C-alpha cells in the first residue's frame, strides 16, 4: 500500500506543485514508484510542471464520467522513470480524487497529492517560501492539517536564497521551521531555471536530500549559504545587491 502524502502550499505560488513533481523524481530515483496526483483540475499545472501537457489521452474527469478506468488516466513521466502523474483536468467532483487515490494505492509506493484528496492522506507536507510574510500562513496550514486529524505534518522551505540568509535579511530555514513549529524535511534553493523546466544540479541534490528525509533515512537538509561564502561568494552577494 502506498504512503499517501498531502502536499500543501503555505500560500499561492509557494512552489507546492514544483516540489511535488521534483520530489517525486527524487523518490523514484531512490526506488520508490511514485505517483503525483495533479489536484489542479482547472489548469493541470502538475501536468505542465512535468512537461507532459497535451500528451495525456485521459484525465480523472474521464474516469469520473465512466469513459475510462482510473488506471488509464495515469501517465508515466518519460523524463523520470518510476514517476507517474494523474491529471484531474475537468474534474467535477473533487472528492472523486479520494476514490482514485484509494484505487491506485496498491500500484505505488508513494502518492503525493498536490492540493487534493486530503481525505485519503495520512501525512502532509507544507511547502513554504522563507519570507516573513509566509510564516503566519505556514503556521495556519500546519495547524489546520493537524486539527483535521493529520498528525504527521512536515515542512519544506522552498525558494531559499542563501545570500539573503547570509545577510540576515531572511530567517535561516532552521529558524523558520522552529517559528512555524513544523519538523524541517527539506530546504530547496531558489533556482531560476525551474520556471523554464530545468533544474540546477545543486537543486536536484536538495530534492534528493529531501526525499531521504521524507523516507526517514536521513535528517540532513541542503545548506543554502555555502555558495555565498568565500571570495566567489562575496562577489555573488555584491552582484545580487545590484540586480
Ligand atoms: N525553488 C524555486 N526557485 C525559483 N522558482 C521556483 C522555485 N520553486 C518554484 N518556483 C516557481 O514558482 C512558481 C510557482 O510555483 P508552483 O506552481 O509550483 O507553486 P504552487 O504553490 O503550486 O502554486 P499554486 O498556488 O498556483 O498551486 C513557478 O513559476 C515555479 O517555477
Ligand atoms: Mg500548484
Amino acid at each position: 500500500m502506498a504512503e499517501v502524502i498531502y502536499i500543501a502550499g503555505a500560500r499561492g505560488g509557494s512552489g507546492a506543485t514544483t516540489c511535488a513533481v521534483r520530489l517525486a523524481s527524487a523518490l523514484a530515483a531512490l526506488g520508490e514508484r511514485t505517483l503525483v496526483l495533479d489536484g489542479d483540475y482547472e489548469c493541470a499545472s502538475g501536468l505542465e510542471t512535468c512537461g507532459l501537457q497535451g500528451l495525456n489521452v485521459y484525465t480523472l474527469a474521464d474516469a469520473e464520467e465512466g469513459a475510462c478506468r482510473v488506471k488509464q488516466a495515469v501517465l508515466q513521466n518519460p523524463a523520470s522513470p518510476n514517476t507517474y502523474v494523474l491529471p484531474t483536468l475537468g474534474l467535477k467532483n473533487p472528492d472523486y480524487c479520494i476514490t482514485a487515490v484509494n484505487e491506485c494505492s496498491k500500484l505505488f509506493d508513494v502518492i503525493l497529492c498536490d492540493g487534493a484528496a486530503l481525505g485519503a492522506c495520512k501525512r502532509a507536507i507544507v511547502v513554504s517560501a522563507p519570507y516573513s510574510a509566509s510564516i503566519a500562513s505556514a503556521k495556519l496550514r500546519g495547524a489546520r492539517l493537524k486539527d483535521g486529524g493529520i498528525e504527521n505534518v512536515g515542512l519544506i522551505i522552498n525558494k531559499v536564497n542563501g545570500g539573503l540568509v547570509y545577510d540576515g535579511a531572511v530567517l535561516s530555514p532552521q529558524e523558520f521551521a522552529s517559528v512555524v513549529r513544523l519538523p524541517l524535511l527539506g530546504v530547496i534553493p531558489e533556482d531560476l531555471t525551474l520556471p523554464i523546466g530545468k533544474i540546477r544540479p545543486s537543486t536536484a541534490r536538495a530534492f534528493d536530500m529531501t526525499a531521504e528525509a521524507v523516507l526517514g533515512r536521513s535528517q540532513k537538509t541542503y545548506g543554502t549559504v555555502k555558495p555565498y561564502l568565500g571570495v566567489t561568494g562575496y562577489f555573488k552577494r555584491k552582484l545580487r545587491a545590484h540586480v
Side-chain angles (χ1 to χ4, degrees):
M1 293 294 262
E3 171 148 45
V4 185
I5 308 175
Y6 186 75
I7 306 290
R11 50 196 296 173
S14 303
T17 300
T18 304
C19 286
V21 167
R22 296 292 177 177
L23 179 61
S25 301
L27 287 165
L30 291 174
E32 305 293 316
R33 197 174 148 89
T34 306
L35 173 71
V36 175
L37 173 71
D38 174 11
D40 187 346
Y41 50 85
E42 287 178 344
C43 302
S45 60
L47 204 60
E48 275 188 29
T49 305
C50 292
L52 297 176
Q53 66 274 31
L55 296 182
N56 60 307
V57 177
Y58 298 115
T59 83
L60 195 57
D62 297 300
E64 184 185 34
E65 285 174 5
C68 71
R69 292 197 292 158
V70 170
K71 270 201 291 191
Q72 290 176 288
V74 172
L75 240 84
Q76 189 172 22
N77 186 348
S80 168
N82 242 5
T83 312
Y84 299 79
V85 59
L86 176 54
T88 59
L89 189 68
L91 194 72
K92 292 199 179 73
N93 174 13
D95 283 346
Y96 188 64
C97 291
I98 299 174
T99 313
V101 167
N102 289 337
E103 249 181 65
C104 290
S105 184
K106 280 193 201 134
L107 306 172
F108 296 94
D109 300 309
V110 182
I111 301 179
L112 301 176
C113 299
D114 179 15
L118 181 59
C121 302
K122 298 261 179 310
R123 189 177 168 187
I125 298 176
V126 175
V127 177
S128 177
Y131 306 112
S132 47
S134 298
I135 290 176
S137 26
K139 249 186 185 174
L140 189 67
R141 267 304 213 169
R144 289 220 172 122
L145 287 163
K146 285 182 184 175
D147 288 349
I150 299 195
E151 280 169 27
N152 186 346
V153 184
L155 178 68
I156 292 178
I157 306 183
N158 184 36
K159 305 192 183 186
V160 180
N161 182 307
L164 293 178
V165 175
Y166 181 92
D167 290 343
V170 299
L171 294 178
S172 73
Q174 289 69 22
E175 287 167 332
F176 190 96
S178 82
V179 173
V180 167
R181 295 203 184 143
L182 291 175
L184 186 59
L185 290 173
V187 176
I188 310 298
E190 182 180 57
D191 178 348
L192 298 181
T193 72
L194 281 172
I196 55 167
K198 297 187 176 173
I199 187 165
R200 289 198 188 117
S202 53
T203 312
R205 174 82 194 115
F207 279 110
D208 290 343
M209 292 174 83
T210 306
E212 298 266 6
V214 168
L215 296 176
R217 296 182 188 167
S218 159
Q219 289 190 331
K220 282 191 197 148
T221 53
Y222 179 81
T224 50
V225 170
K226 211 172 162 193
Y228 292 87
L229 303 176
V231 181
T232 45
Y234 171 81
F235 286 110
K236 254 190 199 174
R237 280 181 282 118
K238 284 281 166 210
L239 191 67
R240 189 180 43 73
H242 290 93
V243 287

